[in-house]
Amino acid sequence: MNTLVIVLIAAVCLIAGYTFYGSWLAKKWGIDPKAKTPAVAKNDGQDYVPTDGWTVFAHQFSSIAGAGPVTGAIQAAVFGWVPVLLWILIGGIFFGAVTDFGALYASVKNEGKSMGLLIEKYIGKTGKKLFLLFCWLFTLIVIAAFADMVAGTFNAYETVDGITKLSAQATVNGAAGSISLLFIAFAVVFGLLQKKLQWKGWKEMVLGLACTVAAFAIGMNVPLVTSKATWTYLVFAYIFLAAVLPMWLLMQPRDFMTTFMFAGMILGAVVGLVVAHPKMNLPMYTGFHNAASGDLFPILFVTVACGAVSGFHSLVSSGTSSKTIANEKDMQKVGYGAMVLESLLAVLALCVAGAAASADGTAAVGTPFAIFSSGVAGFLEMFGIPVYGAQCFMTMCVSALALTSLDSVARIGRMSFQELFTVDDMEHAAGWRKLLCNKYFSTIVTLLCGYILTQIGYANIWPLFGSANQMLSALVLITLCVFLKVTGRENRTLFPPLIIMLCVTFTALVQRLIAMVKAISAAAATAIPAGETTWGAVFIANGLQLILAILLIVLGLNIVFHSVKGYKASEKNSEKAAV
């Protein structure tokens, strides 16, 4: 089948979903353009900052469009492209966009409260503590997986047969790394200028585009060729700054600049598919069971997380975006719109991978990032863009997909850790509690734990990330059901995705737990020659994941129990006049 036809079908479905279903939800829930949003009422210049709707959209999309839509869609294609496409479209319209929009809506209607504080209000303090712990553990997994991806993308060296040497892509990877560092510097300059000049509309776009072009122009000519370990340290230094600096100074301007890149990447992929209209070479359906990945249920639904439905998105919606919405009329665009655009990105990634596959259906060799990057770079070269420029651009784009999620999740992880120990009267709280709630200390603890988990490697931790991510979406849906019930709003449409995601995630986590126990048992039964550290490697790769999986299952069950209890105890319409 022609990939162009697939993209057109997907685009029509997603646009229709936004226009009809998204607007229906907005009408049912109620949007008040005259209401004073938390960003306006609590403007502090740090987290609560009234911001133009399209800038908030750029932040939301840049934050949620991480590695997931590319990595998940391409990895899940082992089951065939039809199941992946169907899940992206159905999940994106009826699961993911509803969750993202709902989390943003509930937060804006509750003074910009994060999801943890919303759970405290609607389910109880115990539910809040359990959710915040679950959320914090989840952010560690995301930090570990995405930081490892980014450092690996910029790495200039490769190890072949025990020998480490410069890779063929050393200059391109180093240039992409330099561009990324310059992006940070120019983002701060952009943020400071924008704070002083208060430019809007085309002036803001010109300034952002100029900073973006400058970062590329300089970075491509000054590649930073260094090791993965060095890049890991640099990545963690950046996300530390992103977690503690004011939103307007680094994250918002960087996300705004990154949106230009993403727009160019998506446009390049779309135009490339239009001009070349390559054939979808991947098989339509390969069967319910895959020898390497497992069964289609639940693996497909946790592998394609971002792009269909992702609990992480709700943390962005309620953690950062809700605090910058200046007018309620922007909520559908930011919450629902950013998600359906990410679903389109996932479809594009699937089509690029399908075009890169051989005629007999054999998938292209390489990581999902590499396949997508080289595929779109090939399209850009068709339009006369030099090979080096196209490769640098796409390497930077795929790394930015992970980086823009990393900075958001580091901030959310810090906030979750703080909320775990926050009490109402912090002024008279004990010294140890004040220390744990200090934003610098909580950030260091979060990033240190995330760094330890990077030793597992993203390929090993990704299945656990997918399962935890989808469980998080189910827990958010439960909270939204309670919120909508007590405020007298429509919540029946949330029950089907809620039940499905609970079944998917608990099945996937239990399967993952069993697989890790088997791996550790097999290693324990194997004789290890003296001087080798196989056992240590096995424990790092599986033991830490086993501990995390058990914690996530126990926490998830407890949260579900308290949530169901809270839903039954809640009274319909009890807050209708208040919210």
Side-chain angles (χ1 to χ4, degrees), residues 112-379:
K113 285 183 170 69
S114 68
M115 194 52 60
L117 295 177
L118 288 173
I119 287 178
E120 179 182 25
K121 179 177 180 179
Y122 293 109
I123 295 173
K125 290 188 176 181
T126 303
K128 169 204 168 186
K129 293 293 184 183
L130 291 170
F131 178 84
L132 287 174
L133 181 56
F134 182 99
C135 180
W136 184 68
L137 290 172
F138 172 72
T139 61
L140 301 185
I141 295 172
V142 179
I143 290 170
F146 286 13
D148 189 67
M149 281 184 188
V150 174
T153 302
F154 295 155
N155 181 26
Y157 295 90
E158 62 180 359
T159 302
V160 180
D161 298 327
I163 300 174
T164 301
K165 60 180 181 180
L166 279 175
S167 69
Q169 291 292 106
T171 303
V172 171
N173 293 353
S178 293
I179 295 168
S180 187
L181 292 176
L182 287 165
F183 245 67
I184 299 168
F186 277 109
V188 173
V189 172
F190 180 29
L192 290 170
L193 288 174
Q194 186 63 8
K195 182 77 171 177
K196 183 175 181 179
L197 301 174
Q198 293 293 310
W199 281 353
K200 301 291 182 183
W202 68 268
K203 291 182 179 180
E204 182 183 28
M205 290 187 66
V206 169
L207 179 60
L209 188 58
C211 290
T212 303
V213 172
F216 270 94
I218 299 171
M220 286 174 60
N221 291 287
V222 189
L224 180 56
V225 178
T226 188
S227 66
K228 182 178 179 179
T230 301
W231 279 117
T232 300
Y233 299 141
L234 289 172
V235 167
F236 273 88
Y238 162 66
I239 58 177
F240 173 82
L241 293 175
V244 299
L245 290 177
M247 287 281 292
W248 62 265
L249 181 59
L250 179 56
M251 283 184 63
Q252 281 187 344
R254 190 187 189 284
D255 288 343
F256 189 82
M257 291 166 58
T258 302
T259 303
F260 289 112
M261 280 198 316
F262 289 168
M265 176 185 69
I266 293 173
L267 183 63
V270 171
V271 175
L273 290 171
V274 170
V275 174
H277 48 82
K279 182 182 177 183
M280 169 58 80
N281 293 320
L282 291 170
M284 293 180 66
Y285 179 62
T286 60
F288 188 80
H289 179 77
N290 179 270
S293 300
D295 295 333
L296 186 145
F297 180 89
I299 300 303
L300 169 66
F301 302 95
V302 295
T303 302
V304 185
C306 302
V309 56
S310 168
F312 164 66
H313 296 183
S314 64
L315 302 184
V316 177
S317 294
S318 66
T320 54
S321 296
S322 65
K323 297 172 177 62
T324 56
I325 289 282
N327 193 303
E328 285 192 11
K329 64 182 176 61
D330 294 324
M331 288 196 287
Q332 182 188 348
K333 173 173 63 185
V334 173
Y336 202 101
M339 179 62 223
V340 294
L341 183 58
E342 188 193 40
S343 296
L344 180 61
L345 175 59
V347 173
L348 289 172
L350 177 65
C351 289
V352 169
S358 57
D360 64 356
T362 304
V365 178
T367 64
F369 265 14
I371 294 170
F372 182 69
S373 176
S374 60
V376 180
F379 290 152

Side-chain angles (χ1 to χ4, degrees), residues 27-112:
K27 183 178 179 181
K28 281 289 184 180
W29 292 348
I31 299 293
D32 183 5
K34 296 180 181 179
K36 186 177 286 189
T37 64
V40 176
K42 303 171 70 174
N43 185 359
D44 62 3
Q46 294 284 323
D47 294 318
Y48 292 86
V49 183
T51 308
D52 174 72
W54 286 109
T55 303
V56 183
F57 174 87
H59 163 70
Q60 177 83 1
F61 177 69
S62 298
S63 297
I64 68 174
V70 172
T71 301
I74 295 176
Q75 282 184 338
V78 294
F79 295 108
W81 65 266
V82 171
V84 177
L85 178 65
L86 290 174
W87 172 231
I88 290 171
L89 296 181
I90 295 172
I93 294 170
F94 298 106
F95 288 59
V98 175
T99 307
D100 295 6
F101 184 23
L104 179 66
Y105 184 88
S107 181
V108 170
K109 289 294 188 179
N110 281 276
E111 303 176 332

